[in-house]
Every structure is written in C-alpha cells, then in structure tokens.
Amino acid sequence: MLTDGPGDDVVEVQNLVAQVMMAFGQVMQAGTQAQVTEAKKVLTQARKALYVILASDDSDDAPSSEDDAE
C-alpha cells in the first residue's frame, strides 16, 4: 500500500491520470460523437481493469503460510 507519502510511483501515476484527462478533454472538445462514445468505452475498460488488479491475489506481496512457519 502507498502510505509513506508521494513516492515516484504515486507521482508517475498522477501524471498519467492528468495526461488521460487532457486527452479525454480533447476528445470531448474536438471529437465526433462516435469518438466520444469510443473514449467512454476506453475509460470504462480502464476502470474495470484497475479493479481487477486490485482484486487479484498478489502472492508475491503476501507472506505464505510456509514463511510464517519459519
């Protein structure tokens, strides 16, 4: 978990989110209705993918029961 303050990963992710917001703003201003619809699909897929990442069992970070026994 990222609780020790804004490290490099946090800053990098914030920059990526800002870039996505700027790109979406451009689509909203200059894009056709079909492009806006496609952009909404991309954002929906990204949101779902982030929740899949969060819900996945990341066994590399969690200690196994074998580690506890040592």
Side-chain angles (χ1 to χ4, degrees):
M1 196 167 15
L2 299 173
T3 58
D4 295 334
D8 290 341
D9 285 341
V10 172
V11 172
E12 185 178 350
V13 170
Q14 288 174 335
N15 288 336
L16 288 170
V17 170
Q19 292 171 18
V20 169
M21 290 173 53
M22 289 172 39
F24 185 71
Q26 291 292 314
V27 171
M28 293 301 296
Q29 286 185 345
T32 64
Q33 183 59 46
Q35 290 168 326
V36 170
T37 299
E38 188 64 26
K40 289 179 354 184
K41 289 178 186 177
V42 168
L43 292 174
T44 299
Q45 291 169 349
R47 177 183 50 83
K48 289 177 181 180
L50 290 170
Y51 280 117
V52 167
I53 291 168
L54 191 60
S56 70
D57 180 19
D58 191 3
S59 59
D60 292 339
D61 290 342
S64 68
S65 58
E66 291 176 10
D67 292 338
D68 294 339
E70 292 178 4

